[in-house]
């Protein structure tokens, strides 16, 4: 949105507006905002709260858009069409260009494991709904571990575009209401916008407390930030409602405005250094950068002693503000894709190159794309921008669809290859390669099965399927009681599988055994929440309480349902309250002991599976990028194998009805853990076993299970 101020020409010229000059303070504020984001993405440890630059952009957009709308209030559908056509010409050409280039670049340099996610997000970004897709992934524990896509920064642009659709409609309704009630349109609009801002702020605070991962992306939690800018436009642009509004400053002395401008800038910069990824956001914490940005705009810093106006008016600052939109568009795809192109993590020179290339591309895009499409001839006739916008969106969506079609084709080929590999009965296939006494070669190069892109989806039925129309996972924030059944429903032997996501990964192995033994398997699984009498510190207090409640209810069911055996395992992914992961071991040991002792009090035997090793990297991505040297996707066993307090819990209880199954020797060699073993991809993400590899562990798991049953 242009930051050029609009002034009233005459009382009769209701629809005429002229440019009186550039709001250098707003251009400078844009420069500050994009600098915060850019530095944060390149050096996140240096500017831990730089993400607040997006919130500054929201306030600016809300202010300028509302100023335009109040200067020429929409009264008819044609008014709205004209407003939206200007938005299309301003925003879509550059954003669609970046999306198209990013899709091509991703296909060329990113591993094939990234193609599908990038295509889906690019298609959603072209339609300006990607923030909702990211919100869904953010609350999906497994999807949350995916590598960042090169277009995920479009979430904020999606929020703005959705705002641009709804906000004019709201103002149109409020203006019409003021006319019907014969009230001041300024008062009615201010009250209406204020009500929306208050409701959105309240929802943002609530959602940030209850589901912060989702709250970060969804539109309702962010509308108030843009709305604050809109309210500011009503308050400081009081003159000539509907006659070309004058964008003014607060009616304070020059000294007071200078102080206000500095205070606003200080608040913004302070959040850049003081906030971190652990700061609950947006919620009320977003009010600091939002009000800081509003203060700078309201002050419209005058040219007075000690004013930041001189610094703001510097040519480099103004230029950066002018190209800030394109800088925002270009910088993130380069950050994400460059490591794939170079084969190494970003170094200082890489980051400086990204900084320079982002500025160069932004300058070119501003001149040859943004400015060109804002020319009046691209807006006439009125349908022209809409036709071009739809065509551009269709091109990007079609490119994404083509990419997804290629992924589907490759997955079909990978499924055939996997079926053929399984059918060979290779004695060195998967975990069998690590059988004591075997002489199987180490898997050091591809191809592997499932193919890395397919491995992302090669998950236990507990993750992917539903049983009886029910989701098999108990998830935050409510953690309901969720039960699924697998295997023979008429089986005489009934097994319960209980724990969090690292319990779910063992279902394929249990299903293999159940098919030959005639067992029925009932699952009690939760996302992240470990089945332990331990208070686990989630990102919201309500989640902690409900996780504990879920654990108590599941433990009672394990005791009361008459199972022949319970299979029990967890991953510690959430620290105990008041602790970090390393300091939570003793709390979990006691929590595991409590659950195991309660289950054993009913006479039910328990097989406890030691937790599996975990890599710090996305294994399928690594394998896809290093097909010729898969050893680059390995790590020290001492680093991958987690501390496991359940081992101590079993030892402390010293109960022969509890059998410990430690299968990590069938996942790792004595000193190293690999991303692929026996030609099979071990993990579908950083820590969860692929269904294929889990099935190859069935022979090793069957012994401990039969031992536990015999002791029941």
């Amino acid at each position: 949105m242009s930051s050029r101020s609009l002034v009233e020409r005459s009382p009769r010229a209701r629809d005429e507006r002229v440019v009186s000059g550039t709001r250098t303070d707003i251009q400078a504020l844009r420069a500050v905002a994009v600098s915060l984001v850019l530095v944060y993405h390149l050096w996140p440890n240096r500017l831990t709260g730089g993400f607040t630059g997006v919130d500054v952009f929201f306030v600016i957009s809300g202010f300028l858009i509302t100023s335009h709308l109040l200067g020429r209030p929409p009264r008819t559908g044609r008014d709205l069409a004209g407003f939206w056509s200007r938005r299309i010409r301003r925003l879509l050409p550059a954003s669609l260009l970046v999306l198209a280039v990013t899709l091509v670049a991703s296909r060329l340099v990113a591993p094939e494991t990234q193609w599908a996610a990038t295509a889906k997000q690019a298609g959603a970004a072209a339609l300006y709904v990607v923030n909702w897709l990211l919100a869904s992934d953010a609350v999906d524990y497994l999807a949350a571990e995916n590598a960042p896509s090169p277009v995920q920064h479009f979430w904020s642009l999606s929020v703005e575009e959705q705002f641009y659709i709804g906000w004019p409609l709201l103002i149109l309704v409020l203006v019409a209401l003021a006319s019907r009630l014969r009230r001041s349109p300024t008062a009615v609009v201010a009250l209406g916008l204020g009500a929306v801002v208050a409701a959105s702020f309240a929802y943002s605070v609530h959602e940030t407390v209850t589901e912060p991962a989702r709250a970060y992306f969804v539109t309702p939690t962010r509308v108030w930030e843009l709305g604050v800018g809109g309210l500011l436009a009503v308050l400081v642009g009081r003159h000539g409602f509907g006659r070309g509004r004058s964008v003014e400053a607060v009616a304070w002395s020059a000294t007071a405005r200078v102080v206000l401008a500095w205070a606003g800038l200080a608040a913004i910069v302070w959040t850049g250094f003081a906030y971190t990824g652990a700061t609950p956001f947006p919620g009320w914490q977003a009010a600091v950068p939002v009000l800081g940005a509003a203060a700078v705009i309201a002050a419209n810093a005058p040219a007075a002693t000690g004013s930041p106006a001189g610094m703001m008016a510097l040519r480099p600052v103004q230029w950066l503000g002018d190209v800030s939109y394109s800088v925002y568009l270009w910088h993130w795809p380069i950050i994400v894709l460059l490591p794939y192109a170079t084969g190494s993590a970003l170094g200082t020179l890489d980051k400086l190159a990204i900084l320079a290339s982002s500025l160069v591309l932004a300058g070119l895009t501003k001149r040859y794309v943004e400015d060109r499409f804002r020319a009046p001839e691209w807006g006439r006739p009125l349908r022209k921008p809409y036709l071009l916008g739809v065509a551009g969106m269709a091109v990007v969506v079609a490119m994404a669809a083509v990419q997804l079609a290629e992924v589907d084709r490759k997955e079909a080929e990978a499924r055939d290859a996997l079926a053929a590999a399984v059918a060979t009965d290779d004695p060195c296939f998967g975990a069998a390669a690590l059988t004591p006494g075997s002489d199987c070669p180490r898997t050091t190069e591809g191809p592997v099965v499932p193919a890395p892109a397919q491995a992302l989806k090669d998950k236990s039925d507990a993750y992917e399927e539903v049983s009886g129309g029910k989701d098999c996972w108990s998830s935050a924030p409510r953690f309901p009681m969720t039960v699924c059944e697998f295997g023979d429903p008429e089986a005489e032997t009934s097994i319960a599988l209980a724990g969090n996501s690292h319990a779910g990964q063992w279902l394929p192995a249990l299903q293999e055994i159940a098919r030959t033994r005639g067992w029925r398997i009932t699952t009690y699984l939760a996302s992240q929440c470990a089945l332990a009498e331990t208070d686990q510190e989630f990102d919201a207090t309500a989640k902690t309480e409900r996780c504990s409640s879920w654990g108590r209810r599941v433990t009672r069911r394990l005791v009361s349902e008459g199972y022949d055996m319970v299979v029990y395992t967890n991953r510690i992914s959430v620290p105990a309250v008041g602790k970090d992961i390393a300091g939570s071991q003793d709390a979990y040991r006691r929590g595991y002991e409590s659950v195991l002792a309660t289950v054993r009090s009913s006479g039910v035997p328990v097989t406890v599976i030691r937790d599996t090793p975990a890599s710090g990297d996305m294994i399928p991505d690594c394998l896809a990028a290093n097909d010729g040297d898969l050893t680059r996707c390995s790590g020290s066993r001492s680093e991958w194998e987690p501390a496991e307090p359940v081992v101590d819990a079993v030892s402390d209880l010293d109960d022969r009805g509890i059998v410990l199954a430690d299968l990590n020797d069938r996942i790792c060699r004595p000193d190293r853990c690999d991303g692929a073993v026996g030609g099979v991809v071990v993990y579908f993400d950083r820590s969860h076993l692929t269904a294929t590899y889990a099935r190859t562990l069935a022979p090793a798991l069957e012994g401990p299970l039969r031992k536990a049953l015999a002791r029941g």
Side-chain angles (χ1 to χ4, degrees):
M1 181 67 193
S2 172
S3 61
R4 298 182 182 278
S5 61
L6 305 174
V7 295
E8 179 184 357
R9 290 185 64 187
S10 72
R12 293 188 299 274
R14 295 178 60 86
D15 293 325
E16 295 183 33
R17 298 175 295 177
V18 297
V19 174
S20 67
T22 300
R23 280 286 300 263
T24 56
D25 60 324
I26 292 181
Q27 289 294 80
L29 200 55
R30 279 179 166 148
V32 170
V34 79
S35 296
L36 286 171
V37 173
L38 192 55
V39 174
Y40 169 66
H41 284 157
L42 287 172
W43 293 279
N45 294 330
R46 302 287 182 87
L47 196 67
T48 57
F51 55 83
T52 58
V54 171
D55 306 273
V56 175
F57 276 126
F58 284 160
V59 177
I60 295 170
S61 295
F63 176 78
L64 294 171
I65 286 297
T66 307
S67 296
H68 279 295
L69 290 170
L70 297 185
R72 189 189 298 175
R75 302 180 189 277
T76 66
R78 186 170 182 81
D79 291 338
L80 288 175
F83 169 80
W84 287 325
S85 74
R86 292 189 292 275
R87 294 292 84 216
I88 290 171
R89 288 188 289 130
R90 169 69 178 93
L91 299 174
L92 264 64
S95 67
L96 294 176
L97 170 66
V98 172
L99 286 173
V101 171
T102 301
L103 276 170
V104 173
S106 296
R107 174 60 181 80
L108 294 175
V109 304
E112 64 180 43
T113 49
Q114 294 298 308
W115 296 351
T118 299
K120 289 176 183 177
Q121 290 186 25
L127 301 175
Y128 289 97
V129 293
V130 73
N131 64 310
W132 292 100
L133 177 60
L134 291 171
S136 175
D137 287 346
V139 297
D140 181 346
Y141 170 56
L142 299 179
E145 290 196 349
N146 292 343
S149 92
V151 298
Q152 69 179 29
H153 64 313
F154 273 77
W155 76 267
S156 62
L157 305 180
S158 296
V159 169
E160 288 199 20
E161 282 298 305
Q162 292 161 35
F163 174 84
Y164 295 154
I165 293 173
W167 202 247
L169 293 172
L170 174 62
I171 291 179
L172 182 148
V173 170
L174 293 173
V175 169
L177 180 62
S179 176
R180 179 177 292 273
L181 297 176
R182 300 180 184 277
R183 301 291 184 184
S184 164
T186 300
V188 173
V189 169
L191 287 172
L193 300 188
V196 171
V197 168
S200 173
F201 179 75
Y203 180 76
S204 181
V205 172
H206 172 267
E207 195 72 357
T208 300
V209 171
T210 57
E211 191 54 81
R214 180 178 184 274
Y216 192 86
F217 294 109
V218 297
T219 306
T221 64
R222 297 290 189 162
V223 165
W224 71 272
E225 300 183 35
L226 293 117
V228 164
L231 279 177
L232 182 63
V234 176
L235 296 175
V236 302
R238 296 183 293 273
H239 309 294
F241 188 94
R243 297 192 297 275
R245 297 180 55 80
S246 175
V247 181
E248 303 287 353
V250 289
W252 293 359
S253 68
T255 300
R257 287 166 57 195
V258 168
V259 172
L260 182 63
W262 278 118
L265 289 171
I268 294 168
V269 173
W270 177 81
T271 62
F273 287 97
Y275 285 7
T276 70
T279 303
F281 210 83
W284 66 264
Q285 289 85 352
V288 179
V290 165
L291 294 179
V296 174
I297 296 172
N300 194 2
T305 302
S307 173
M311 177 185 66
M312 289 177 164
L314 292 174
R315 181 170 295 180
V317 175
Q318 291 297 296
W319 181 84
L320 181 57
D322 206 32
V323 301
S324 58
Y325 176 56
S326 287
V327 171
Y328 184 82
L329 290 175
W330 283 112
H331 83 284
W332 183 248
I334 304 174
I335 289 174
V336 172
L337 295 176
L338 185 59
Y340 294 131
T342 62
S344 61
L346 295 177
T348 300
L349 290 179
D350 296 318
K351 294 178 180 181
L352 292 175
I354 290 171
L355 183 62
S357 59
S358 297
L359 295 176
V360 170
L361 286 170
L364 294 173
T365 305
K366 175 67 168 60
R367 179 174 181 178
Y368 294 107
V369 180
E370 290 188 58
D371 291 346
R372 179 163 296 182
F373 281 93
R374 292 172 70 182
E377 61 266 23
W378 286 97
R380 294 189 298 267
L382 187 58
R383 66 177 180 274
K384 185 176 181 179
Y386 289 92
L387 294 174
L388 291 173
V390 170
M393 288 179 168
V395 168
V396 174
V397 171
M399 291 175 66
V402 169
Q403 183 64 84
L404 289 172
E406 181 182 7
V407 170
D408 288 343
R409 178 182 60 78
K410 284 181 170 290
E411 286 187 356
E413 295 173 354
R415 285 192 294 270
D416 292 341
L418 175 60
V422 172
T424 61
D425 292 327
D426 181 355
C428 290
F429 185 71
L434 297 178
T435 301
S438 66
D439 188 24
C440 298
R442 183 184 182 192
T443 301
T444 59
E445 60 183 13
V448 291
V449 294
Q454 187 191 4
L456 294 170
K457 300 179 180 180
D458 188 36
K459 302 176 183 178
S460 158
D461 287 345
Y463 303 127
E464 294 294 290
E465 303 293 338
V466 294
S467 177
K470 291 174 59 179
D471 189 342
C472 294
W473 285 95
S474 179
S475 302
R478 294 179 177 81
F479 286 111
M481 174 63 69
T482 305
V483 181
C484 284
E485 289 191 354
F486 300 88
D488 183 358
E490 305 299 326
E492 295 183 0
T493 301
S494 179
I495 308 296
L497 174 63
N500 59 17
S501 63
H502 273 216
Q505 71 180 348
W506 288 102
L507 181 62
L510 290 173
Q511 288 173 303
E512 285 291 303
I513 300 168
R515 270 191 283 272
T516 59
R517 296 288 172 183
W519 294 349
R520 179 175 69 253
I521 305 165
T522 304
T523 62
Y524 297 89
L525 303 172
S527 178
Q528 289 190 281
C529 176
L531 180 55
E533 195 64 40
T534 305
D535 290 332
Q536 299 164 51
E537 191 164 45
F538 285 83
D539 53 13
T541 302
K543 293 182 184 179
T544 293
E545 296 171 349
R546 288 167 179 165
C547 169
S548 295
S549 175
W550 174 83
R552 290 190 293 270
R553 285 179 287 141
V554 168
T555 302
R556 289 195 294 268
R557 288 285 292 268
L558 295 178
V559 169
S560 64
E561 291 298 310
Y563 294 109
D564 295 292
M565 179 175 59
V566 171
V567 179
Y568 175 82
T569 187
N570 296 275
R571 179 193 187 194
I572 301 177
S573 58
V574 179
V577 171
K579 308 282 187 180
D580 58 15
I581 292 291
S584 300
Q585 303 302 307
D586 193 54
Y588 272 99
R589 178 186 57 77
R590 294 193 304 271
Y592 290 152
E593 284 184 19
S594 178
V595 171
L596 291 172
T598 301
V599 174
R600 282 295 296 141
S601 67
S602 66
V604 179
V606 182
T607 298
V608 175
I609 303 178
R610 177 174 181 160
D611 192 20
T612 49
S615 166
D617 298 319
M618 281 290 291
I619 291 300
D621 289 352
C622 181
L623 296 175
N626 297 283
D627 185 67
D629 183 11
L630 301 185
T631 62
R632 298 184 66 178
C633 305
S634 66
S636 167
R637 179 166 175 171
S638 62
E639 293 178 359
W640 283 31
E641 197 166 45
E644 180 56 303
V646 78
V647 175
D648 294 329
V650 171
S651 177
D652 291 346
L653 289 171
D654 192 24
D655 185 332
R656 69 182 306 273
I658 302 176
V659 175
L660 178 66
D662 185 348
L663 304 186
N664 287 353
D665 284 344
R666 301 296 182 90
I667 298 173
C668 298
R669 291 178 294 117
D671 60 338
R672 304 290 292 178
C673 295
D674 292 329
V677 172
V680 178
V681 179
V682 179
Y683 304 97
F684 66 75
D685 56 7
R686 290 175 169 85
S687 68
H688 297 85
L689 301 176
T690 61
T692 300
Y693 198 82
R695 291 188 192 99
T696 68
L697 287 164
L701 178 61
E702 186 171 3
L705 295 179
R706 294 176 62 185
K707 180 189 292 187
L709 277 174
R711 294 179 179 181

